[in-house]
DNA sequence: CCGATGCCTG
DNA sequence: CAGGCATCGG
């Protein structure tokens, strides 16, 4: 398929491929990130409407609908393949119009043709009109649904519509073939639309960016108290972060990520649509049109089975389950960002309307920042721009307070704030991040105010959020589970001592405590279960109850707290487990379980059996 | 009132 | 595992 000039200009390699590859280079982890979970978890319908809702409802659209609405040259091209299959004059595609005059004008030439040709044309125009009309219509958030409905209706009504120059046949196969093809085209057109939108976003972003700069300049001239500025309007430069390049990188990464996300979602939809009957979809045209959008997708984009499969959820599932579940539950679902979305704002007032899905996306980025980088240092974060490098030595003590990074641009004027550490390294303390020290409760309001909810995310803010989110990672969870083998009832002080790399606050503390509460819950449930089982099994004497490493009970517990089984569980834990089981057994034997709070007595006993956690656990880099 | 805890639920 | 809720003690 050929690109029209307008499309080519829209899909400039420098805006697409280059950025994608650049992003790939800078942030390799992103590739997997957006793809893995969220897209795989959407089903085909929802992802598209989700994306469309996100984009069409976006404020940017209303800011300048003309930007989005590419004049006839573009809107009329939303379905060029349909034009071709319907034998529309190729050269007339860009002038395809919905005006009646045009209809009649062209129909002069086509009068000899059978009526159904005109009917076809009318239908195609109708479809196009429907799509075009909804582009600028803020009300119609379900463009995809509508188009699809139209198309399906179209197919039902007219299954004999010729495809691929084949004679019209109305057997079931061609019908499905057509539908698949139509949907493919439709999705591709939406993809183009979204790509356009993405261009607009970056355009508006750039506008805002320069506007903000101007505003900032004005303020610094007229404002007597610069401190009265809204925090969120602190522009990147004022943070002293320094690097335009860093900001640009992030910006570009986000742009390309949006594009790629769209592509992959479309791919996923395709896969779902086409898998039942792959052959019909695998027409030459299909391959062609797939290749037509390389800038949206990684370079390996093709219609090969391998690639399709590699995009599928199956592959995702084949990944380490622990890897996924834990990371996602910890970070993606994390507090405020998702909560903010469901705040009871009237839709039209929602300050982060556009960011409908942005939190998820951004959280994924952050998640991967966390996943791939021990929050102790940035050095191990492959996703971070190259300008962020090695952490300072003192970061091993309290990495959260001295996440160090090298500013390749100007670290000089920041060095004055920097404490210990090699020259050229800048502590995060020097970033003057206003929110870094705030607590989780504030995070939501921050998210609401923040440009983070849009693509206008600044780098320093992503760092803030990174830090906030990096408080507890999957590794921390793993560590906590292992610590449970020693202590069932850790005090907050103990936790603080053993998680030196965590910036403790109310929220983090209670989350950690909650973890242990959950651990205990599981522990006691198992105990009760096995105690009852022992009774059922006819065990009479408490002394007949023992727990060793071969016990089923131990295996269950070990599976829960030491899934990888790479940790030597201390013998003491076995003793405690045995005692606990015996307590439960005794209590149940004596029918104490009729008392609603019968377990509390047991808890009281067990909580005294905590032992010291080995010093090794104090290392932030434990695990 | 706040924090810790437990219970229930998704 | 996290959220929400109720309860309890300081």
């Amino acid at each position: 398929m050929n690109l029209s000039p307008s499309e080519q200009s829209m899909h400039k390699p420098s805006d697409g491929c280059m950025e994608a590859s650049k992003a790939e280079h800078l942030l390799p982890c992103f590739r997997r990130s957006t793809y893995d979970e969220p897209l795989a978890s959407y089903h085909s319908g929802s992802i598209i409407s989700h994306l469309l809702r996100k984009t069409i409802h976006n404020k940017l659209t209303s800011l300048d609908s003309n930007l989005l609405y590419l004049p006839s040259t573009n809107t009329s091209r939303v379905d060029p393949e349909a034009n071709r299959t319907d034998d529309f004059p190729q050269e007339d595609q860009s002038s395809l119009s919905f005006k009646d005059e045009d209809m009649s004008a062209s129909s002069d030439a086509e009068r000899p043709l059978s009526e159904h040709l005109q009917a076809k044309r009318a239908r195609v125009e109708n479809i196009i009109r429907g799509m075009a009309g909804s582009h600028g219509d803020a009300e119609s958030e379900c463009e995809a649904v509508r188009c699809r409905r139209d198309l399906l209706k179209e197919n039902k009504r007219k299954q004999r519509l010729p495809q691929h120059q084949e004679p019209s046949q109305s057997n079931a196969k061609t019908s499905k073939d057509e539908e698949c093809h139509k949907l493919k085209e439709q999705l591709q057109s939406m993809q183009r639309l979204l790509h356009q939108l993405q261009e607009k976003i970056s355009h508006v972003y750039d506008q805002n960016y320069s506007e903000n700069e101007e505003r900032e300049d004005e303020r610094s001239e007229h404002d007597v108290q610069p401190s009265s500025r809204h925090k969120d309007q602190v522009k990147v430069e004022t943070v002293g972060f320094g690097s335009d390049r860093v900001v640009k990188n992030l910006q570009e990464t986000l742009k390309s990520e949006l594009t790629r996300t769209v592509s992959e979602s479309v791919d996923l939809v395709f896969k779902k649509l086409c898998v039942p009957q792959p052959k019909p979809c695998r027409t030459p045209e299909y391959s062609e049109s797939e290749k037509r959008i390389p800038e949206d997708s990684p370079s390996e984009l093709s219609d090969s089975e391998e690639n399709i499969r590699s995009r599928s959820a199956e592959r995702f599932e084949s990944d380490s389950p622990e890897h996924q579940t834990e990371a996602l539950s910890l970070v993606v679902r994390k507090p405020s960002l998702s909560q903010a979305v469901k705040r009871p704002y009237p839709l039209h007032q929602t300050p982060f309307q556009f960011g409908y899905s942005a939190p998820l996306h951004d959280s994924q980025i952050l998640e991967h920042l966390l996943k791939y980088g021990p929050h102790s240092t940035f050095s191990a974060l492959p996703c971070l721009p190259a300008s962020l490098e090695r952490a300072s030595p003192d970061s091993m003590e309290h990495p959260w307070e001295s996440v160090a990074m090298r500013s390749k641009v100007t670290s000089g004027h920041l060095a004055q704030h920097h404490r210990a550490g090699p020259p050229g390294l800048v502590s995060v303390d020097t970033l003057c991040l206003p929110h870094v020290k705030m607590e989780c409760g504030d995070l939501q309001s921050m998210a609401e105010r923040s440009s983070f909810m849009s693509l206008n995310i600044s780098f320093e803010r992503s760092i803030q959020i990174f830090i906030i989110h990096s408080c507890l990672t999957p590794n921390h969870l793993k560590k906590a589970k292992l610590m449970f083998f020693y202590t069932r009832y850790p005090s907050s002080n103990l936790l603080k001592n053993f998680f030196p790399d965590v910036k403790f606050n109310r929220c983090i503390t209670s989350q950690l405590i909650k973890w242990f509460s959950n651990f205990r819950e599981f522990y006691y449930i198992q105990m009760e279960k096995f105690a009852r089982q022992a009774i059922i099994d006819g065990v009479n004497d408490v002394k007949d109850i023992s727990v060793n490493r071969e016990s089923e009970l131990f295996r269950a517990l070990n599976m829960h707290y030491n899934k990888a089984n790479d940790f030597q569980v201390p013998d003491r834990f076995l003793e405690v487990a045995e005692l606990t089981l015996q307590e439960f057994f005794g209590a149940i034997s004596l029918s104490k379980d009729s008392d609603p709070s019968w377990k509390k007595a047991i808890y009281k006993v067990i909580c005294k059996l905590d032992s010291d956690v080995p010093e090794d656990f104090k290392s932030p880099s434990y695990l």
Side-chain angles (χ1 to χ4, degrees), chain A residues 559-580:
Chain A
M559 183 61 76
H560 192 71
Y561 307 116
N562 180 27
K563 198 170 284 183
N565 200 23
D566 52 2
F567 179 78
Q568 176 70 15
V569 179
D571 289 334
R572 173 66 178 162
F573 178 76
L574 291 167
E575 297 170 22
V576 175
E578 186 172 297
L579 274 168
T580 313

Coordinates of all heavy atoms in Angstrom, one line a residue, chain A residues 559-580:
Chain A
M559 N 5.9 -22.6 50.2 CA 5.5 -22.2 48.9 C 5.0 -20.7 48.9 O 5.2 -20.0 47.9 CB 4.3 -23.1 48.4 CG 3.8 -22.8 47.0 SD 5.1 -23.0 45.8 CE 5.2 -24.8 45.7
H560 N 4.5 -20.4 50.0 CA 3.9 -19.0 50.1 C 5.0 -18.0 50.4 O 5.0 -16.9 49.8 CB 2.9 -19.0 51.2 CG 2.0 -17.7 51.2 ND1 1.1 -17.5 50.2 CD2 2.0 -16.7 52.0 CE1 0.5 -16.3 50.5 NE2 1.1 -15.8 51.5
Y561 N 5.9 -18.3 51.3 CA 6.8 -17.3 51.7 C 8.2 -17.4 51.0 O 9.0 -16.5 51.1 CB 7.0 -17.3 53.2 CG 5.8 -17.3 54.0 CD1 5.4 -18.4 54.8 CD2 5.0 -16.1 54.0 CE1 4.2 -18.3 55.5 CE2 3.8 -16.1 54.7 CZ 3.4 -17.2 55.4 OH 2.2 -17.1 56.2
N562 N 8.4 -18.5 50.4 CA 9.7 -18.8 49.8 C 9.5 -19.5 48.5 O 10.0 -20.6 48.3 CB 10.5 -19.6 50.8 CG 11.9 -19.9 50.3 OD1 12.5 -19.2 49.5 ND2 12.5 -21.0 50.8
K563 N 8.8 -18.9 47.7 CA 8.3 -19.6 46.5 C 9.5 -20.1 45.7 O 9.4 -21.2 45.1 CB 7.5 -18.6 45.6 CG 6.6 -19.3 44.6 CD 5.6 -18.4 44.0 CE 4.5 -18.1 44.9 NZ 3.5 -17.2 44.3
A564 N 10.5 -19.3 45.6 CA 11.6 -19.8 44.8 C 12.4 -20.9 45.5 O 13.2 -21.6 44.8 CB 12.6 -18.6 44.5
N565 N 12.1 -21.1 46.7 CA 12.7 -22.1 47.5 C 14.3 -22.0 47.5 O 15.0 -23.0 47.5 CB 12.4 -23.5 46.9 CG 12.6 -24.6 48.0 OD1 12.6 -24.3 49.2 ND2 12.8 -25.8 47.5
D566 N 14.7 -20.8 47.4 CA 16.1 -20.5 47.4 C 16.6 -20.0 48.8 O 17.7 -19.4 48.9 CB 16.5 -19.5 46.3 CG 15.6 -18.2 46.4 OD1 14.8 -18.1 47.4 OD2 15.8 -17.4 45.6
F567 N 15.8 -20.2 49.7 CA 16.1 -19.7 51.1 C 16.0 -20.8 52.1 O 15.0 -21.6 52.1 CB 15.2 -18.5 51.5 CG 15.5 -18.0 52.8 CD1 16.5 -17.1 53.0 CD2 14.7 -18.4 53.9 CE1 16.8 -16.6 54.3 CE2 14.9 -17.8 55.2 CZ 16.0 -17.0 55.4
Q568 N 17.0 -21.0 52.9 CA 17.1 -22.0 53.9 C 16.2 -21.6 55.1 O 16.7 -20.7 55.8 CB 18.5 -22.3 54.3 CG 18.6 -23.4 55.4 CD 18.2 -24.8 54.9 OE1 18.1 -25.0 53.7 NE2 18.0 -25.7 55.8
V569 N 15.1 -22.2 55.2 CA 14.2 -21.7 56.3 C 14.8 -22.2 57.6 O 15.2 -23.3 57.8 CB 12.8 -22.4 56.1 CG1 11.9 -22.0 57.2 CG2 12.2 -22.0 54.8
P570 N 14.9 -21.3 58.6 CA 15.5 -21.6 59.8 C 14.7 -22.7 60.6 O 13.5 -22.7 60.5 CB 15.5 -20.3 60.6 CG 14.4 -19.5 59.9 CD 14.4 -19.9 58.5
D571 N 15.4 -23.5 61.3 CA 14.7 -24.5 62.1 C 13.7 -23.9 63.1 O 12.7 -24.5 63.3 CB 15.8 -25.4 62.8 CG 16.6 -26.2 61.9 OD1 16.1 -26.5 60.8 OD2 17.8 -26.5 62.2
R572 N 14.1 -22.8 63.6 CA 13.2 -22.2 64.6 C 11.8 -22.0 64.0 O 10.9 -22.1 64.7 CB 13.9 -20.8 65.0 CG 13.0 -20.0 65.9 CD 12.8 -20.6 67.2 NE 12.0 -19.8 68.1 CZ 11.5 -20.3 69.2 NH1 11.6 -21.6 69.5 NH2 10.8 -19.5 70.0
F573 N 11.8 -21.7 62.7 CA 10.5 -21.5 62.2 C 9.7 -22.8 62.2 O 8.4 -22.8 62.5 CB 10.6 -21.0 60.7 CG 9.2 -20.8 60.0 CD1 8.4 -19.7 60.3 CD2 8.8 -21.8 59.1 CE1 7.2 -19.6 59.7 CE2 7.5 -21.6 58.5 CZ 6.7 -20.5 58.8
L574 N 10.3 -23.9 62.0 CA 9.6 -25.1 62.1 C 9.1 -25.4 63.5 O 8.0 -25.9 63.6 CB 10.6 -26.3 61.7 CG 11.0 -26.3 60.2 CD1 12.1 -27.2 59.9 CD2 9.8 -26.7 59.3
E575 N 9.9 -25.0 64.4 CA 9.4 -25.2 65.8 C 8.2 -24.3 66.1 O 7.2 -24.8 66.7 CB 10.6 -24.8 66.8 CG 11.8 -25.7 66.7 CD 12.9 -25.1 67.5 OE1 12.7 -24.3 68.4 OE2 14.1 -25.5 67.2
V576 N 8.3 -23.1 65.6 CA 7.2 -22.2 65.9 C 5.9 -22.7 65.1 O 4.8 -22.7 65.7 CB 7.5 -20.8 65.4 CG1 6.3 -19.9 65.5 CG2 8.7 -20.2 66.2
A577 N 6.1 -23.2 64.0 CA 5.0 -23.7 63.2 C 4.4 -24.9 63.9 O 3.2 -25.0 64.0 CB 5.5 -24.1 61.8
E578 N 5.3 -25.7 64.4 CA 4.8 -26.9 65.1 C 4.0 -26.5 66.4 O 2.9 -27.0 66.6 CB 5.9 -27.8 65.5 CG 5.5 -29.1 66.2 CD 6.7 -30.0 66.4 OE1 7.4 -30.4 65.4 OE2 7.0 -30.3 67.5
L579 N 4.5 -25.6 67.1 CA 3.8 -25.1 68.3 C 2.5 -24.4 67.9 O 1.5 -24.7 68.6 CB 4.7 -24.0 69.0 CG 5.7 -24.6 70.0 CD1 6.7 -23.5 70.4 CD2 5.0 -25.1 71.2
T580 N 2.5 -23.7 66.9 CA 1.2 -23.0 66.5 C 0.2 -24.1 66.1 O -1.0 -24.0 66.5 CB 1.5 -22.1 65.2 OG1 2.6 -21.3 65.5 CG2 0.3 -21.3 65.0

